[in-house]
Amino acid sequence: MQAYHDEEWGRELHGEQALFERISLEAFQSGLSWSIILRKREAFRAAFAGFDPETVAGFGDRDVERLMDDAGIVRNRRKIEATIANARVVNELDGGLDALLWSFRPEVVVVPHDMDEIPAVTEESTAMARTLKRAGFRFVGPTTAYALMQATGMVNDHLADCVAR
């Protein structure tokens, strides 16, 4: 977790595949701890073809059953099916996932000084979730959208005195 915090979390991330992975993992994390998802990340990558949206979009019923039998990942049928459906949406987006997600980056930068200053939801994350749902995404609410924004550097919620800031 320390290496993830220091080297990855809050760093700007771009690219369709990388962002599709993150949005998928954030959805799988819903209701669980991030440490579980992080420990299983390599198994998720193997199970979901490196989170290549075109490949995942082609997954069918046999793949869903294969994933349900994979003890290396979180075996939640609704989340697995949502990931496949979301890959199909990614492939149909005008302008791409990267441009869409980053269009919600807040203009005002707030530097938090303590954990109480870090929100779980913002106007931007609410708007992002609404837009993603309208496009057909599943398992992406405002809280998940904000966690995605934090993880991918759209917002920098490292505390003011954090070495990773």
Side-chain angles (χ1 to χ4, degrees):
M1 289 295 288
Q2 187 70 42
Y4 174 73
H5 168 268
D6 292 351
E7 300 165 14
E8 197 171 341
W9 188 81
R11 301 294 193 267
E12 285 196 19
L13 183 70
H14 291 277
E16 302 298 295
Q17 192 165 332
L19 289 169
F20 176 62
E21 175 182 338
R22 289 300 179 79
I23 202 168
S24 299
L25 293 178
E26 291 293 348
F28 272 102
Q29 185 272 328
S30 181
L32 303 171
S33 75
W34 181 248
S35 63
I36 290 170
I37 302 304
L38 198 55
R39 278 195 312 268
K40 293 178 175 272
R41 183 162 59 170
E42 290 307 316
F44 271 110
R45 285 175 173 163
F48 283 95
F51 288 97
D52 175 61
E54 286 188 40
T55 302
V56 176
F59 283 10
D61 293 341
R62 284 187 182 171
D63 293 294
V64 172
E65 294 311 315
R66 171 183 58 82
L67 294 165
M68 287 297 296
D69 289 337
D70 188 339
I73 67 168
V74 173
R75 294 177 287 181
N76 179 304
R77 184 175 299 276
R78 289 179 55 224
K79 291 177 181 181
I80 290 168
E81 290 173 346
T83 301
I84 296 166
N86 291 349
R88 293 174 182 148
V89 174
V90 168
N91 291 329
E92 296 173 6
L93 286 175
D94 288 333
L97 183 63
D98 191 300
L100 175 63
L101 294 178
W102 278 89
S103 73
F104 292 96
R105 183 180 199 170
E107 290 184 29
V108 176
V109 176
V110 177
V111 179
H113 290 82
D114 63 56
M115 297 298 285
D116 292 337
E117 295 176 15
I118 300 174
V121 173
T122 63
E123 288 180 30
E124 294 87 358
S125 73
T126 300
M128 176 190 283
R130 188 179 314 116
T131 299
L132 291 171
K133 284 183 180 184
R134 270 193 232 127
F137 277 84
R138 298 178 352 203
F139 269 94
V140 185
T143 304
T144 300
Y146 193 70
L148 175 70
M149 294 172 85
Q150 290 174 305
T152 60
M154 291 176 211
V155 296
N156 183 350
D157 279 345
H158 288 282
L159 299 181
D161 62 352
C162 178
V163 298
R165 188 161 190 76

